[in-house]
Amino acid sequence: MPTLRVGGLAALSILALAACSSEPGLVPPLGSSGASSSQVGSAGSGASSTLTVADQSFLTQAAYGGFGEVAMGTLAQRQASSATVRDLGRRIAADHTQANQELARLAQAKGVTPPTAPDPGRQAVADALASLQGTAFDRQYLQQQIAEHDVSIALFNAQSQGGTDPDVRAFAAKWLPGLQMHARELRSLGSPLAQLP
């Protein structure tokens, strides 16, 4: 039964991450097509923004991911059985809180109002993880966070290399190394935990 629960959470996590970019009313993620200028407003952007659809989409997706990371890191501080996982959750939450604050200032300067909470998909994953305890939580948290950071790294890397607005591009470039560091730490912890029953 625990195997089904963990497998189900892994599937839920993947589906939730996929849904983050296809949630109704959101601007499609970078590199996708089909968004018109009129769709940008539904992502919470201000009408006076001079950013491209792709730059606004980045700010929206980065905000959703950042708030998701804070929620998950806070959960890890309460639920993780491993002190190392709790400490990593604390550091991830602190780093993403700082990035979220900087993103909010940048977005405001550009006339965009970013989200201020995780999207429903990420919130559903956090809610599902909240029901786990002990090493089952630790293992599933690390798996979910590795997948989440891979998505964020791809998003920030694409923006840092191909973003139109220089300030938004610089924001992505500044925070990309931190995301990569988190991913390395998560993977280093995830390997030993994967061996546990």
Side-chain angles (χ1 to χ4, degrees):
M1 186 71 166
T3 305
L4 290 175
R5 178 183 247 183
V6 170
L9 278 173
L12 176 62
S13 180
I14 291 167
L15 289 173
L17 287 173
C20 292
S21 63
S22 61
E23 190 75 28
L26 293 184
V27 178
L30 287 174
S32 64
S33 59
S36 68
S37 305
S38 63
Q39 289 175 307
V40 173
S42 64
S45 330
S48 63
S49 175
T50 59
L51 297 179
T52 65
V53 171
D55 287 342
Q56 289 185 48
S57 177
F58 168 78
L59 291 174
T60 298
Q61 297 305 319
Y64 277 141
F67 282 105
E69 292 300 328
V70 172
M72 294 297 290
T74 302
L75 183 61
Q77 292 172 69
R78 288 194 317 260
Q79 302 273 127
S81 62
S82 162
T84 307
V85 173
R86 284 193 303 273
D87 182 58
L88 182 57
R90 180 193 54 75
R91 287 186 286 121
I92 288 174
D95 290 348
H96 282 276
T97 296
Q98 186 179 355
N100 291 347
Q101 291 167 348
E102 187 175 322
L103 184 144
R105 288 189 300 269
L106 173 62
Q108 182 180 14
K110 300 294 180 178
V112 175
T113 304
T116 57
D119 56 273
R122 285 180 175 94
Q123 189 59 55
V125 171
D127 293 345
L129 280 175
S131 69
L132 297 178
Q133 299 292 325
T135 57
F137 173 86
D138 294 357
R139 191 170 33 251
Q140 192 57 41
Y141 168 77
L142 293 171
Q143 263 186 345
Q144 186 280 333
Q145 284 294 284
I146 289 167
E148 178 70 29
H149 276 79
D150 286 348
V151 168
S152 294
I153 287 167
L155 177 71
F156 277 66
N157 188 50
Q159 183 67 25
S160 69
Q161 293 181 12
T164 304
D165 183 89
D167 297 326
V168 178
R169 197 170 56 242
F171 171 84
K174 174 183 176 178
W175 290 99
L176 179 59
L179 291 168
Q180 293 166 330
M181 181 189 67
H182 290 166
R184 284 190 302 272
E185 291 181 77
L186 289 159
R187 281 189 168 80
S188 73
L189 289 176
S191 296
L193 276 177
Q195 309 305 317
L196 294 176

